[in-house]
Amino acid sequence: MIAMFLSATAFVHRGDGVKVAAYLHVICWIMQFIGHGIAEGRAPALLDNILGALVLAPFFVHIEILFALGYNKPLHKKFINGTGVEITKFRRERAQQERVVEKKAPLSR
């Protein structure tokens, strides 16, 4: 959080700060579409959560860049571990739902 404030404060002293921020925002949007297309094979859910698309996604990209540059490694590890736990829960729930659907479907012969 402090890194976001420090990087944002750096733009206050630039004459073209708003222009640079707008370019970065657009680049983050483009990278979000590319990332979703490559990693997930689908577009981001823009209409499901417009706040997340307009505001939170660029912050996500910002912190990912900071982590890639070595910022706060223990926090990054905590995020990665937490994400792994949530992915495991999601996969278990999806597998359970698939088993229920298979039990309900009649056997085809």
Side-chain angles (χ1 to χ4, degrees):
M1 186 80 130
I2 293 172
M4 285 190 297
F5 291 128
L6 291 176
S7 59
T9 304
F11 285 111
V12 171
H13 301 292
R14 293 179 59 132
D16 63 343
V18 173
K19 187 173 158 183
V20 171
Y23 286 141
L24 287 173
H25 193 80
V26 170
I27 289 168
C28 289
W29 268 68
I30 292 168
M31 294 306 294
Q32 181 181 11
F33 278 106
I34 291 170
H36 277 271
I38 292 171
E40 297 179 5
R42 62 184 177 92
L46 297 175
L47 298 177
D48 291 346
N49 185 350
I50 197 71
L51 175 69
L54 293 175
V55 179
L56 300 178
F59 286 134
F60 175 80
V61 171
H62 183 93
I63 196 72
E64 284 296 319
I65 290 169
L66 291 174
F67 284 151
L69 295 173
Y71 169 75
N72 202 342
K73 290 182 182 184
L75 179 63
H76 187 219
K77 184 177 180 180
K78 183 178 177 181
F79 283 170
I80 295 297
N81 291 341
T83 302
V85 168
E86 291 302 317
I87 289 171
T88 301
K89 284 183 196 176
F90 173 78
R91 288 180 178 162
R92 282 185 189 148
E93 290 171 5
R94 186 173 62 186
Q96 179 65 25
Q97 289 172 352
E98 289 173 359
R99 284 192 291 271
V100 168
V101 169
E102 288 174 4
K103 286 181 181 178
K104 289 182 180 181
L107 296 174
S108 58
R109 294 184 180 175

